[in-house]
Amino acid sequence: MHDPEYITLDNSKLTVVAEFLPMLRAAGLDSFDKIMALPAKAVVRAVPGRSTMRVELPLPTGGALTGYLKRYEEEYLSSLDKLLRLIHWPGGDDEAAREWRKMLLLRTHNFLTAVPIAVGQSRRAGIVTSSFLLQQEIPNGLPTDDYIVQRLATAPPQRKWDLLKKLGELARTFQDAGFIHKDFYLKHIFVVERGDDWDLYLIDLQRVLGPRAHRQRWYLKDLSALAHSARRRARLSLPDILRIYLGYAGATKLQAADKQFIENVWRRVRKLRGRQPRYGRVWNAAEP
């Protein structure tokens, strides 16, 4: 995947992938404030100061392009968050810009992600206090957990097994490339059917780390998140989840040496079951 060309606008508050600039200008969306204020077609997720919305962007030729707008507002930042940004503490930078960079980076490593459109940042007192990331919808994509429940429940078992193997292979390829996701749940892997096969897209990339070598426990955490969501959200049986592991291990059957690793994964899964959400209330509005 080639690096896109970027255009910077609005006193450096807005960066746009060049191919989308005519569309944004035709829609009057050529500034940070205008994109930040886009009305939602649907709210996907919202917590205080942070929201993800489905939006429609008018095309100059007619019709509309569907996108997703992630907005971060000052309310989202604690006093400590602001201090960490001021002193440039690792990991304290703006999440919208961080995810933008990770999307572009992963695409250069031949991983599929949503297509980035624009990123914006507004600063006050020397730090980013509000920002957004605008990306294109993944056409015909579904979160893997929804896809398994909705599309594979009545499909021949072999089709489900083939997808589970492919998920394991993706996890292995991702780790071999030196990346960890830190939110490696099935809902963050989108499935797009391609004939009898699938394309797998990675989303919600703001916490991705790499490429570099990581301690083994980080790889274990990613696999445990995958197993946890497969069990809880996709309602997969334990034998089905082991098929994901076989794809990850590049094997056709489990070996004695796999036992300890799998036990470590399940120990971590049990911890995830008892985890409490960070926010007491999360809005997930239904599609209209």
Side-chain angles (χ1 to χ4, degrees):
M1 300 179 185
H2 67 281
D3 288 336
E5 180 186 354
Y6 316 108
I7 306 294
T8 302
L9 304 169
D10 196 13
N11 296 316
S12 299
K13 292 169 67 176
L14 175 62
T15 300
V16 180
V17 174
E19 67 177 285
F20 293 106
L21 184 57
M23 174 192 72
L24 293 179
R25 278 187 165 151
L29 299 171
D30 55 358
S31 73
F32 173 87
D33 290 338
K34 290 174 182 177
I35 294 179
M36 195 74 167
L38 266 170
K41 181 173 176 60
V43 177
V44 178
R45 178 181 171 87
V47 298
R50 175 183 169 183
S51 61
T52 300
M53 309 183 308
R54 189 166 178 257
V55 297
E56 287 195 347
L57 307 169
L59 294 170
T61 55
L65 180 149
T66 300
Y68 286 89
L69 179 66
K70 285 189 175 182
R71 301 188 308 183
Y72 299 87
E73 300 174 86
E74 188 166 358
E75 182 186 2
Y76 183 63
L77 298 175
S78 67
S79 296
L80 177 59
D81 291 331
K82 292 177 180 179
L83 174 61
L84 294 179
R85 287 192 178 181
L86 187 63
I87 64 176
H88 304 290
W89 189 263
D93 56 328
D94 169 45
E95 291 183 39
R98 192 188 316 152
E99 183 165 15
W100 169 271
R101 293 193 301 270
K102 294 302 180 181
M103 290 172 75
L104 299 173
L105 175 63
L106 289 183
R107 292 167 72 84
T108 66
H109 284 260
N110 296 316
F111 293 102
L112 297 173
T113 76
V115 175
I117 297 174
V119 65
Q121 295 180 311
S122 179
R123 289 173 167 79
R124 188 167 66 84
I127 64 169
V128 175
T129 53
S130 58
S131 61
F132 70 77
L133 171 67
L134 179 61
Q135 62 193 42
Q136 189 172 350
E137 180 183 53
I138 298 170
N140 303 311
L142 275 178
T144 303
D145 48 3
D146 290 341
Y147 180 85
I148 289 172
V149 172
Q150 296 175 17
R151 303 283 181 85
L152 298 184
T154 58
Q158 186 64 50
R159 182 148 175 84
K160 178 174 67 175
W161 299 341
D162 289 345
L163 177 59
L164 300 182
K165 177 184 177 184
K166 194 175 183 79
L167 287 168
E169 292 170 345
L170 172 65
R172 168 59 72 184
T173 304
F174 195 63
Q175 292 185 2
D176 285 349
F179 291 102
I180 53 173
H181 192 287
K182 299 187 76 175
D183 283 306
F184 203 52
Y185 301 105
L186 288 179
K187 66 180 179 180
H188 295 151
I189 304 172
F190 266 52
V191 177
V192 176
E193 291 182 348
R194 183 167 47 81
D196 292 333
D197 201 357
W198 304 270
D199 287 328
L200 302 180
Y201 290 73
L202 296 169
I203 70 163
D204 272 22
L205 307 173
Q206 64 271 17
R207 300 183 68 205
V208 167
L209 295 179
R212 65 171 185 264
H214 303 277
R215 284 180 289 180
Q216 185 64 24
R217 70 185 185 92
W218 285 109
Y219 299 127
L220 178 66
K221 284 184 175 182
D222 266 6
L223 287 177
S224 300
L226 195 65
H228 171 68
S229 59
R231 183 70 166 157
R232 185 166 186 171
R233 298 278 302 172
R235 308 170 199 165
L236 292 178
S237 66
L238 296 183
D240 278 342
I241 295 173
L242 288 176
R243 290 180 185 275
I244 298 176
Y245 178 78
L246 289 174
Y248 173 80
T252 55
K253 62 180 181 179
L254 295 175
Q255 306 296 320
D258 296 317
K259 182 178 179 181
Q260 185 59 54
F261 188 86
I262 292 172
E263 286 180 354
N264 291 339
V265 168
W266 284 117
R267 188 177 301 115
R268 178 71 186 171
V269 167
R270 287 193 291 272
K271 289 182 179 179
L272 288 172
R273 286 177 190 158
R275 176 178 289 180
Q276 296 299 313
R278 178 179 175 185
Y279 297 99
R281 183 180 180 192
V282 175
W283 291 263
N284 290 283
E287 292 285 341

